[in-house]
Amino acid sequence: MARFFAAVLRRPKVARLVRYALSGGASALTHFAIGLVGVHLLHLRPVLASTAGFLASIAVSYLLQRAWVFRSTAGHALAGAKFLTVTAVAFTINTAVLWTGTELLSTPYPIVQPIALTLIPLINYSLNSRWTFATPTRPTPGGPQTGADPSLPTP
């Protein structure tokens, strides 16, 4: 059984998914821990404490995903802006799913939130791997340059 898991983890895409799951866990733990500290030690209102935890979790998530999960060399200005865009998309999806489920369909929150919590990581992984932290391809010697029209002859 150990050999099976070792063989599976040697696959780059599977290993990246495992790293993504672990970074998500670290991000969630950061969010929750800072929220708890804010409420119980700093005596902040729960929404304020959770907001602080959420903001910290964004930083943890970005740094882990850029450096460890996707091993991206994209600059922080561009990758950070893209990451915040993906985070805004995730927030919008969460809000839309919760509003539709709880308000329009009168479904209990404990049933609706897991749906959003399943959709969001799938969408985030797809967007972050293909857009936020995508490594630009290097032009091949003698081939068309990035952004060049491949139908035109190369100089």
Side-chain angles (χ1 to χ4, degrees), residues 39-80:
V39 169
H40 295 290
L41 295 179
L42 301 176
H43 308 290
L44 299 174
R45 304 284 300 175
V47 171
L48 182 60
S50 180
T51 300
F54 177 74
L55 293 173
S57 76
I58 290 172
V60 168
S61 184
Y62 170 76
L63 293 171
L64 284 174
Q65 286 187 38
R66 183 180 179 275
W68 185 52
V69 175
F70 299 109
R71 297 176 179 162
S72 175
T73 57
H76 287 296
L78 182 60

mmCIF file of all heavy atoms in Angstrom, residues 39-80:
data_model
loop_
_atom_site.group_PDB
_atom_site.id
_atom_site.type_symbol
_atom_site.label_atom_id
_atom_site.label_comp_id
_atom_site.label_asym_id
_atom_site.label_seq_id
_atom_site.Cartn_x
_atom_site.Cartn_y
_atom_site.Cartn_z
ATOM 1 N N VAL A 39 -11.189 36.723 19.051
ATOM 2 C CA VAL A 39 -12.388 36.679 19.895
ATOM 3 C C VAL A 39 -12.030 36.452 21.360
ATOM 4 O O VAL A 39 -12.485 37.189 22.248
ATOM 5 C CB VAL A 39 -13.369 35.580 19.408
ATOM 6 C CG1 VAL A 39 -14.474 35.347 20.424
ATOM 7 C CG2 VAL A 39 -13.961 35.976 18.060
ATOM 8 N N HIS A 40 -11.194 35.449 21.628
ATOM 9 C CA HIS A 40 -10.984 35.020 23.016
ATOM 10 C C HIS A 40 -9.862 35.750 23.746
ATOM 11 O O HIS A 40 -9.927 35.882 24.974
ATOM 12 C CB HIS A 40 -10.765 33.512 23.067
ATOM 13 C CG HIS A 40 -11.985 32.753 22.646
ATOM 14 N ND1 HIS A 40 -13.141 32.704 23.400
ATOM 15 C CD2 HIS A 40 -12.249 32.042 21.527
ATOM 16 C CE1 HIS A 40 -14.054 31.983 22.772
ATOM 17 N NE2 HIS A 40 -13.539 31.573 21.631
ATOM 18 N N LEU A 41 -8.867 36.219 23.029
ATOM 19 C CA LEU A 41 -7.773 36.920 23.716
ATOM 20 C C LEU A 41 -7.844 38.437 23.544
ATOM 21 O O LEU A 41 -7.529 39.178 24.469
ATOM 22 C CB LEU A 41 -6.414 36.407 23.221
ATOM 23 C CG LEU A 41 -6.085 34.950 23.544
ATOM 24 C CD1 LEU A 41 -4.721 34.570 22.987
ATOM 25 C CD2 LEU A 41 -6.145 34.684 25.045
ATOM 26 N N LEU A 42 -8.240 38.867 22.357
ATOM 27 C CA LEU A 42 -8.301 40.308 22.096
ATOM 28 C C LEU A 42 -9.702 40.876 22.290
ATOM 29 O O LEU A 42 -9.894 42.087 22.191
ATOM 30 C CB LEU A 42 -7.805 40.600 20.674
ATOM 31 C CG LEU A 42 -6.380 40.147 20.362
ATOM 32 C CD1 LEU A 42 -6.047 40.398 18.902
ATOM 33 C CD2 LEU A 42 -5.383 40.835 21.286
ATOM 34 N N HIS A 43 -10.667 39.993 22.527
ATOM 35 C CA HIS A 43 -12.057 40.374 22.787
ATOM 36 C C HIS A 43 -12.665 41.194 21.650
ATOM 37 O O HIS A 43 -13.419 42.145 21.880
ATOM 38 C CB HIS A 43 -12.198 41.098 24.134
ATOM 39 C CG HIS A 43 -11.583 40.324 25.256
ATOM 40 N ND1 HIS A 43 -12.121 39.159 25.729
ATOM 41 C CD2 HIS A 43 -10.435 40.527 25.961
ATOM 42 C CE1 HIS A 43 -11.356 38.673 26.698
ATOM 43 N NE2 HIS A 43 -10.321 39.487 26.852
ATOM 44 N N LEU A 44 -12.334 40.799 20.425
ATOM 45 C CA LEU A 44 -12.921 41.438 19.245
ATOM 46 C C LEU A 44 -14.282 40.814 18.957
ATOM 47 O O LEU A 44 -14.553 39.685 19.371
ATOM 48 C CB LEU A 44 -12.008 41.236 18.028
ATOM 49 C CG LEU A 44 -10.602 41.812 18.104
ATOM 50 C CD1 LEU A 44 -9.799 41.399 16.873
ATOM 51 C CD2 LEU A 44 -10.650 43.327 18.224
ATOM 52 N N ARG A 45 -15.107 41.545 18.245
ATOM 53 C CA ARG A 45 -16.376 40.990 17.783
ATOM 54 C C ARG A 45 -16.057 39.862 16.807
ATOM 55 O O ARG A 45 -15.072 39.939 16.047
ATOM 56 C CB ARG A 45 -17.217 42.064 17.092
ATOM 57 C CG ARG A 45 -17.498 43.311 17.910
ATOM 58 C CD ARG A 45 -18.514 43.143 18.951
ATOM 59 N NE ARG A 45 -19.791 42.740 18.346
ATOM 60 C CZ ARG A 45 -20.844 42.440 19.061
ATOM 61 N NH1 ARG A 45 -20.795 42.507 20.355
ATOM 62 N NH2 ARG A 45 -21.952 42.079 18.473
ATOM 63 N N PRO A 46 -16.863 38.793 16.769
ATOM 64 C CA PRO A 46 -16.562 37.648 15.909
ATOM 65 C C PRO A 46 -16.380 37.978 14.430
ATOM 66 O O PRO A 46 -15.477 37.440 13.783
ATOM 67 C CB PRO A 46 -17.759 36.716 16.126
ATOM 68 C CG PRO A 46 -18.225 37.036 17.512
ATOM 69 C CD PRO A 46 -18.002 38.520 17.661
ATOM 70 N N VAL A 47 -17.197 38.877 13.901
ATOM 71 C CA VAL A 47 -17.064 39.201 12.475
ATOM 72 C C VAL A 47 -15.727 39.894 12.210
ATOM 73 O O VAL A 47 -15.042 39.584 11.235
ATOM 74 C CB VAL A 47 -18.253 40.065 11.989
ATOM 75 C CG1 VAL A 47 -18.002 40.586 10.585
ATOM 76 C CG2 VAL A 47 -19.545 39.260 12.037
ATOM 77 N N LEU A 48 -15.323 40.794 13.084
ATOM 78 C CA LEU A 48 -14.046 41.481 12.921
ATOM 79 C C LEU A 48 -12.882 40.498 13.063
ATOM 80 O O LEU A 48 -11.933 40.525 12.269
ATOM 81 C CB LEU A 48 -13.915 42.620 13.938
ATOM 82 C CG LEU A 48 -12.640 43.451 13.855
ATOM 83 C CD1 LEU A 48 -12.507 44.123 12.486
ATOM 84 C CD2 LEU A 48 -12.639 44.510 14.959
ATOM 85 N N ALA A 49 -12.954 39.633 14.043
ATOM 86 C CA ALA A 49 -11.895 38.635 14.243
ATOM 87 C C ALA A 49 -11.806 37.682 13.055
ATOM 88 O O ALA A 49 -10.710 37.355 12.590
ATOM 89 C CB ALA A 49 -12.156 37.848 15.530
ATOM 90 N N SER A 50 -12.949 37.255 12.542
ATOM 91 C CA SER A 50 -12.962 36.363 11.383
ATOM 92 C C SER A 50 -12.436 37.070 10.142
ATOM 93 O O SER A 50 -11.732 36.465 9.322
ATOM 94 C CB SER A 50 -14.378 35.841 11.132
ATOM 95 O OG SER A 50 -14.381 34.984 10.016
ATOM 96 N N THR A 51 -12.756 38.343 9.999
ATOM 97 C CA THR A 51 -12.250 39.108 8.860
ATOM 98 C C THR A 51 -10.725 39.196 8.915
ATOM 99 O O THR A 51 -10.046 39.020 7.897
ATOM 100 C CB THR A 51 -12.878 40.520 8.830
ATOM 101 O OG1 THR A 51 -14.296 40.375 8.717
ATOM 102 C CG2 THR A 51 -12.339 41.347 7.682
ATOM 103 N N ALA A 52 -10.182 39.445 10.099
ATOM 104 C CA ALA A 52 -8.723 39.483 10.253
ATOM 105 C C ALA A 52 -8.122 38.119 9.905
ATOM 106 O O ALA A 52 -7.092 38.029 9.217
ATOM 107 C CB ALA A 52 -8.348 39.882 11.679
ATOM 108 N N GLY A 53 -8.768 37.060 10.363
ATOM 109 C CA GLY A 53 -8.301 35.711 10.043
ATOM 110 C C GLY A 53 -8.376 35.422 8.559
ATOM 111 O O GLY A 53 -7.473 34.818 7.970
ATOM 112 N N PHE A 54 -9.451 35.876 7.924
ATOM 113 C CA PHE A 54 -9.615 35.669 6.489
ATOM 114 C C PHE A 54 -8.517 36.384 5.707
ATOM 115 O O PHE A 54 -7.916 35.821 4.795
ATOM 116 C CB PHE A 54 -11.001 36.153 6.044
ATOM 117 C CG PHE A 54 -11.232 36.033 4.566
ATOM 118 C CD1 PHE A 54 -11.455 34.793 3.990
ATOM 119 C CD2 PHE A 54 -11.207 37.146 3.748
ATOM 120 C CE1 PHE A 54 -11.668 34.666 2.622
ATOM 121 C CE2 PHE A 54 -11.420 37.036 2.382
ATOM 122 C CZ PHE A 54 -11.645 35.783 1.821
ATOM 123 N N LEU A 55 -8.231 37.633 6.080
ATOM 124 C CA LEU A 55 -7.184 38.388 5.388
ATOM 125 C C LEU A 55 -5.816 37.721 5.564
ATOM 126 O O LEU A 55 -5.034 37.629 4.610
ATOM 127 C CB LEU A 55 -7.154 39.838 5.877
ATOM 128 C CG LEU A 55 -8.384 40.669 5.519
ATOM 129 C CD1 LEU A 55 -8.335 42.045 6.192
ATOM 130 C CD2 LEU A 55 -8.530 40.801 4.015
ATOM 131 N N ALA A 56 -5.538 37.246 6.757
ATOM 132 C CA ALA A 56 -4.271 36.551 6.990
ATOM 133 C C ALA A 56 -4.223 35.252 6.184
ATOM 134 O O ALA A 56 -3.172 34.885 5.642
ATOM 135 C CB ALA A 56 -4.092 36.260 8.477
ATOM 136 N N SER A 57 -5.353 34.578 6.080
ATOM 137 C CA SER A 57 -5.379 33.317 5.329
ATOM 138 C C SER A 57 -5.139 33.550 3.843
ATOM 139 O O SER A 57 -4.567 32.690 3.168
ATOM 140 C CB SER A 57 -6.699 32.570 5.551
ATOM 141 O OG SER A 57 -7.753 33.149 4.816
ATOM 142 N N ILE A 58 -5.551 34.703 3.333
ATOM 143 C CA ILE A 58 -5.279 35.033 1.934
ATOM 144 C C ILE A 58 -3.770 35.139 1.717
ATOM 145 O O ILE A 58 -3.229 34.615 0.741
ATOM 146 C CB ILE A 58 -5.992 36.340 1.521
ATOM 147 C CG1 ILE A 58 -7.496 36.131 1.456
ATOM 148 C CG2 ILE A 58 -5.474 36.846 0.171
ATOM 149 C CD1 ILE A 58 -8.284 37.416 1.235
ATOM 150 N N ALA A 59 -3.088 35.813 2.639
ATOM 151 C CA ALA A 59 -1.633 35.955 2.520
ATOM 152 C C ALA A 59 -0.943 34.597 2.595
ATOM 153 O O ALA A 59 -0.062 34.291 1.779
ATOM 154 C CB ALA A 59 -1.106 36.882 3.620
ATOM 155 N N VAL A 60 -1.337 33.752 3.537
ATOM 156 C CA VAL A 60 -0.753 32.421 3.675
ATOM 157 C C VAL A 60 -1.011 31.605 2.412
ATOM 158 O O VAL A 60 -0.100 30.971 1.864
ATOM 159 C CB VAL A 60 -1.320 31.699 4.927
ATOM 160 C CG1 VAL A 60 -0.969 30.218 4.929
ATOM 161 C CG2 VAL A 60 -0.813 32.373 6.189
ATOM 162 N N SER A 61 -2.234 31.646 1.941
ATOM 163 C CA SER A 61 -2.608 30.891 0.752
ATOM 164 C C SER A 61 -1.798 31.340 -0.467
ATOM 165 O O SER A 61 -1.258 30.523 -1.217
ATOM 166 C CB SER A 61 -4.101 31.045 0.486
ATOM 167 O OG SER A 61 -4.493 30.260 -0.606
ATOM 168 N N TYR A 62 -1.695 32.644 -0.662
ATOM 169 C CA TYR A 62 -0.944 33.174 -1.808
ATOM 170 C C TYR A 62 0.516 32.737 -1.747
ATOM 171 O O TYR A 62 1.067 32.232 -2.731
ATOM 172 C CB TYR A 62 -1.034 34.703 -1.854
ATOM 173 C CG TYR A 62 -0.081 35.296 -2.853
ATOM 174 C CD1 TYR A 62 -0.347 35.244 -4.218
ATOM 175 C CD2 TYR A 62 1.118 35.885 -2.448
ATOM 176 C CE1 TYR A 62 0.535 35.762 -5.149
ATOM 177 C CE2 TYR A 62 2.009 36.401 -3.369
ATOM 178 C CZ TYR A 62 1.715 36.336 -4.714
ATOM 179 O OH TYR A 62 2.609 36.835 -5.629
ATOM 180 N N LEU A 63 1.142 32.944 -0.604
ATOM 181 C CA LEU A 63 2.567 32.622 -0.492
ATOM 182 C C LEU A 63 2.831 31.132 -0.685
ATOM 183 O O LEU A 63 3.772 30.752 -1.400
ATOM 184 C CB LEU A 63 3.108 33.100 0.862
ATOM 185 C CG LEU A 63 3.145 34.619 1.029
ATOM 186 C CD1 LEU A 63 3.491 34.997 2.461
ATOM 187 C CD2 LEU A 63 4.116 35.260 0.041
ATOM 188 N N LEU A 64 2.016 30.286 -0.076
ATOM 189 C CA LEU A 64 2.200 28.835 -0.236
ATOM 190 C C LEU A 64 1.923 28.388 -1.666
ATOM 191 O O LEU A 64 2.662 27.570 -2.221
ATOM 192 C CB LEU A 64 1.311 28.063 0.734
ATOM 193 C CG LEU A 64 1.765 28.041 2.184
ATOM 194 C CD1 LEU A 64 0.716 27.357 3.056
ATOM 195 C CD2 LEU A 64 3.118 27.356 2.325
ATOM 196 N N GLN A 65 0.871 28.913 -2.267
ATOM 197 C CA GLN A 65 0.539 28.493 -3.632
ATOM 198 C C GLN A 65 1.599 28.960 -4.624
ATOM 199 O O GLN A 65 2.010 28.211 -5.505
ATOM 200 C CB GLN A 65 -0.848 28.993 -4.035
ATOM 201 C CG GLN A 65 -1.946 28.208 -3.346
ATOM 202 C CD GLN A 65 -3.311 28.579 -3.849
ATOM 203 O OE1 GLN A 65 -3.496 28.823 -5.034
ATOM 204 N NE2 GLN A 65 -4.284 28.612 -2.949
ATOM 205 N N ARG A 66 2.063 30.179 -4.477
ATOM 206 C CA ARG A 66 3.056 30.698 -5.424
ATOM 207 C C ARG A 66 4.379 29.933 -5.299
ATOM 208 O O ARG A 66 4.954 29.508 -6.291
ATOM 209 C CB ARG A 66 3.298 32.183 -5.195
ATOM 210 C CG ARG A 66 4.277 32.775 -6.208
ATOM 211 C CD ARG A 66 4.500 34.265 -5.948
ATOM 212 N NE ARG A 66 5.438 34.807 -6.905
ATOM 213 C CZ ARG A 66 6.762 34.751 -6.748
ATOM 214 N NH1 ARG A 66 7.293 34.169 -5.690
ATOM 215 N NH2 ARG A 66 7.553 35.287 -7.666
ATOM 216 N N ALA A 67 4.856 29.790 -4.064
ATOM 217 C CA ALA A 67 6.186 29.209 -3.855
ATOM 218 C C ALA A 67 6.201 27.684 -3.852
ATOM 219 O O ALA A 67 7.147 27.074 -4.350
ATOM 220 C CB ALA A 67 6.761 29.725 -2.536
ATOM 221 N N TRP A 68 5.173 27.054 -3.302
ATOM 222 C CA TRP A 68 5.242 25.617 -3.059
ATOM 223 C C TRP A 68 4.308 24.809 -3.953
ATOM 224 O O TRP A 68 4.712 23.816 -4.540
ATOM 225 C CB TRP A 68 4.938 25.351 -1.579
ATOM 226 C CG TRP A 68 5.090 23.941 -1.142
ATOM 227 C CD1 TRP A 68 6.176 23.122 -1.331
ATOM 228 C CD2 TRP A 68 4.126 23.172 -0.429
ATOM 229 N NE1 TRP A 68 5.936 21.892 -0.766
ATOM 230 C CE2 TRP A 68 4.684 21.894 -0.206
ATOM 231 C CE3 TRP A 68 2.853 23.431 0.043
ATOM 232 C CZ2 TRP A 68 4.011 20.898 0.465
ATOM 233 C CZ3 TRP A 68 2.193 22.442 0.731
ATOM 234 C CH2 TRP A 68 2.773 21.187 0.932
ATOM 235 N N VAL A 69 3.051 25.216 -4.058
ATOM 236 C CA VAL A 69 2.082 24.422 -4.813
ATOM 237 C C VAL A 69 2.373 24.482 -6.307
ATOM 238 O O VAL A 69 2.575 23.466 -6.957
ATOM 239 C CB VAL A 69 0.630 24.876 -4.531
ATOM 240 C CG1 VAL A 69 -0.359 24.125 -5.419
ATOM 241 C CG2 VAL A 69 0.278 24.684 -3.058
ATOM 242 N N PHE A 70 2.410 25.699 -6.848
ATOM 243 C CA PHE A 70 2.579 25.862 -8.294
ATOM 244 C C PHE A 70 4.014 26.189 -8.692
ATOM 245 O O PHE A 70 4.336 26.181 -9.869
ATOM 246 C CB PHE A 70 1.609 26.932 -8.816
ATOM 247 C CG PHE A 70 0.176 26.576 -8.585
ATOM 248 C CD1 PHE A 70 -0.581 27.251 -7.650
ATOM 249 C CD2 PHE A 70 -0.418 25.537 -9.280
ATOM 250 C CE1 PHE A 70 -1.909 26.913 -7.414
ATOM 251 C CE2 PHE A 70 -1.745 25.190 -9.057
ATOM 252 C CZ PHE A 70 -2.487 25.879 -8.126
ATOM 253 N N ARG A 71 4.853 26.502 -7.690
ATOM 254 C CA ARG A 71 6.270 26.814 -7.923
ATOM 255 C C ARG A 71 6.433 27.816 -9.052
ATOM 256 O O ARG A 71 7.187 27.619 -9.997
ATOM 257 C CB ARG A 71 7.053 25.527 -8.169
ATOM 258 C CG ARG A 71 7.007 24.632 -6.944
ATOM 259 C CD ARG A 71 7.668 23.322 -7.132
ATOM 260 N NE ARG A 71 7.575 22.581 -5.873
ATOM 261 C CZ ARG A 71 7.750 21.293 -5.765
ATOM 262 N NH1 ARG A 71 8.045 20.577 -6.824
ATOM 263 N NH2 ARG A 71 7.646 20.715 -4.606
ATOM 264 N N SER A 72 5.715 28.897 -8.900
ATOM 265 C CA SER A 72 5.638 29.917 -9.940
ATOM 266 C C SER A 72 6.771 30.928 -9.813
ATOM 267 O O SER A 72 7.228 31.240 -8.716
ATOM 268 C CB SER A 72 4.300 30.642 -9.825
ATOM 269 O OG SER A 72 4.223 31.699 -10.729
ATOM 270 N N THR A 73 7.190 31.425 -10.953
ATOM 271 C CA THR A 73 8.168 32.506 -10.986
ATOM 272 C C THR A 73 7.507 33.824 -11.390
ATOM 273 O O THR A 73 8.191 34.808 -11.613
ATOM 274 C CB THR A 73 9.313 32.174 -11.970
ATOM 275 O OG1 THR A 73 8.741 31.929 -13.256
ATOM 276 C CG2 THR A 73 10.102 30.960 -11.499
ATOM 277 N N ALA A 74 6.196 33.822 -11.484
ATOM 278 C CA ALA A 74 5.466 35.044 -11.833
ATOM 279 C C ALA A 74 5.735 36.106 -10.779
ATOM 280 O O ALA A 74 5.835 35.812 -9.589
ATOM 281 C CB ALA A 74 3.971 34.749 -11.917
ATOM 282 N N GLY A 75 5.870 37.340 -11.220
ATOM 283 C CA GLY A 75 6.119 38.445 -10.298
ATOM 284 C C GLY A 75 4.961 38.653 -9.335
ATOM 285 O O GLY A 75 3.808 38.366 -9.661
ATOM 286 N N HIS A 76 5.285 39.174 -8.156
ATOM 287 C CA HIS A 76 4.250 39.365 -7.129
ATOM 288 C C HIS A 76 3.177 40.353 -7.563
ATOM 289 O O HIS A 76 2.008 40.164 -7.232
ATOM 290 C CB HIS A 76 4.870 39.831 -5.811
ATOM 291 C CG HIS A 76 5.613 38.757 -5.092
ATOM 292 N ND1 HIS A 76 5.009 37.631 -4.592
ATOM 293 C CD2 HIS A 76 6.934 38.632 -4.813
ATOM 294 C CE1 HIS A 76 5.916 36.861 -4.016
ATOM 295 N NE2 HIS A 76 7.086 37.444 -4.143
ATOM 296 N N ALA A 77 3.551 41.401 -8.274
ATOM 297 C CA ALA A 77 2.548 42.403 -8.662
ATOM 298 C C ALA A 77 1.479 41.766 -9.547
ATOM 299 O O ALA A 77 0.278 41.926 -9.294
ATOM 300 C CB ALA A 77 3.209 43.578 -9.372
ATOM 301 N N LEU A 78 1.901 41.043 -10.553
ATOM 302 C CA LEU A 78 0.947 40.429 -11.466
ATOM 303 C C LEU A 78 0.243 39.234 -10.818
ATOM 304 O O LEU A 78 -0.987 39.145 -10.838
ATOM 305 C CB LEU A 78 1.653 39.987 -12.757
ATOM 306 C CG LEU A 78 0.751 39.365 -13.820
ATOM 307 C CD1 LEU A 78 -0.339 40.334 -14.258
ATOM 308 C CD2 LEU A 78 1.588 38.928 -15.019
ATOM 309 N N ALA A 79 1.010 38.324 -10.239
ATOM 310 C CA ALA A 79 0.413 37.128 -9.623
ATOM 311 C C ALA A 79 -0.487 37.515 -8.446
ATOM 312 O O ALA A 79 -1.562 36.944 -8.267
ATOM 313 C CB ALA A 79 1.494 36.155 -9.168
ATOM 314 N N GLY A 80 -0.058 38.490 -7.654
ATOM 315 C CA GLY A 80 -0.871 38.929 -6.518
ATOM 316 C C GLY A 80 -2.197 39.516 -6.956
ATOM 317 O O GLY A 80 -3.239 39.233 -6.363
#
